Amino acid sequence: MGSRSGKEEKTYDMIVLGAGPAGLSAAIYGGRAQMSTLVIEPRMAGGEITLSDRLDNYPGFPEGIGGFEFGMLLEKQAARFGAEMFSTFVESVDTEGKIKKVITSAGVFFGQTLIVATGTVPRTLGVPGEESFTGRGISFCATCDGPLFREKTTVVIGGGDAAVEEALYLSRFATEVFLIHRRDTLRAVPYLQTKLTENPKVTFLGNTIVKEFKGNQKLEKVILNNVADDSITEISADGAFLYIGRIPSSGFIDGVEKDSQGYIITSEEMETTIPGVFAAGDIRRKFLRQVVTATADGAIAATMALKYLGG
Ligand code: NAP
């Protein structure tokens, strides 16, 4: 792969991969500590939280804050401290030498330290119709596509915080929302479960799995299997939103220790098994994946990167 002219001449003190809350917090701390900092992100800055209608539990915002607005504020703050942003897709990293190389579709970038904050991508079900109706009724983002389903019927698949939160959000637009979960008990926190039971538009279908998505040009039906009695039913639905968990985006980096799912294993100081390479946010194996823990990880990772550089 050819080098990109200009940027590759420079060796940054710190290259951050991913511009979600963890990556941008690292950039804020790195920039403020006067480390030359580059953040590489293929999509919009702010990360997944920008796709959330509301961030309700981040300390300091008693009324909550819009996910998009929060992401934009983080980016602005990182820029204020001098962090550079570059939009490209990271193909691989070479962490062998003292200088780490980031190989992207726009060329090679060099950093003395690397912070991996690439987060996760949505898991898919792998059932017939899922791929062909994605973008034609099936969506992974209620905030983006929910308003398209005004006065329509939608289903949400999953039983965690994300599924419940987004089912509640969709109920603002849809006539009816079915929350489909493979077990009879939800994983979501009690607060969200209470809000769900209070919402007359949402019907919970437990012990239920999706067998197939059907339709013509667009999604029309979801075929369901009740695993308790093995019965098959179908619901007419215009939209289906999948929130069945996430997969870590760590495939581009070898050499660091990962768990069986691909989450990067770090010390409490965000150190990976490669000196000078740190991981922060949802990409880490950790107990609590929340924005507040991601920002804290980013701060620690940047502080450790500074220490690694002798600061
Ligand atoms: P999650 O907590 O891992 O939940 C995934 C859900 O999908 C589980 O209910 C799981 O079922 C189900 N599932 C997994 N694979 C499936 C499959 N193949 N078929 C059918 N169902 C399947 O994921 P999440 O809800 O995306 O949340 C991810 C993290 O973000 C969590 O740490 C969560 O707390 C956090 N989050 C927090 C908030 C908030 O605080 N407001 C909002 C969103 C997300 P089982 O229950 O049977 O395993």
Side-chain angles (χ1 to χ4, degrees), residues 52 54 56-57 123-125 157-163 165-166 180-183 185-189 192 209 243-246 282 287-290:
S52 267
R54 207 134 193 94
D56 225 8
N57 55 1
R123 180 179 288 135
T124 53
L125 284 168
I157 297 117
D161 289 340
E165 215 163 58
E166 302 309 330
I180 296 161
H181 181 38
R182 63 184 178 184
R183 292 186 296 124
T185 49
L186 292 166
R187 183 181 289 279
V189 290
L192 287 173
I209 59 171
Y243 285 100
I244 58 163
R246 324 243 349 143
D282 286 2
F287 164 65
L288 184 64
R289 290 197 177 86
Q290 294 273 295

Side-chain angles (χ1 to χ4, degrees), residues 69-84:
E69 188 189 355
F70 183 77
M72 294 304 99
L73 289 174
L74 284 179
E75 185 189 16
K76 206 172 159 188
Q77 197 172 359
R80 177 161 76 86
F81 288 119
E84 289 176 40

Side-chain angles (χ1 to χ4, degrees), residues 204-311:
F204 175 59
L205 300 178
N207 284 328
T208 303
I209 59 171
V210 174
K211 291 296 268 186
E212 188 174 354
F213 294 102
K214 282 186 157 174
N216 289 304
Q217 293 307 315
K218 289 185 171 176
L219 177 71
E220 290 169 11
K221 285 177 195 159
V222 185
I223 313 299
L224 301 173
N225 177 203
N226 183 315
V227 291
D229 61 15
D230 206 25
S231 58
I232 301 282
T233 49
E234 64 174 48
I235 338 182
S236 297
D238 308 284
F241 290 82
L242 271 61
Y243 285 100
I244 58 163
R246 324 243 349 143
I247 298 169
S249 304
S250 63
F252 64 89
I253 182 163
D254 292 324
V256 292
E257 193 184 355
K258 301 176 194 173
D259 71 7
S260 57
Q261 290 177 275
Y263 288 102
I264 298 175
I265 297 175
T266 70
S267 69
E268 278 197 26
E269 285 76 31
M270 311 301 141
E271 297 152 304
T272 68
T273 39
I274 301 177
V277 178
F278 304 87
D282 286 2
I283 193 71
R284 284 177 64 219
R285 183 178 72 176
K286 66 194 293 194
F287 164 65
L288 184 64
R289 290 197 177 86
Q290 294 273 295
V291 176
V292 70
T293 61
T295 56
D297 283 4
I300 295 169
T303 306
M304 288 302 292
L306 181 66
K307 198 171 164 200
Y308 174 83
L309 293 177

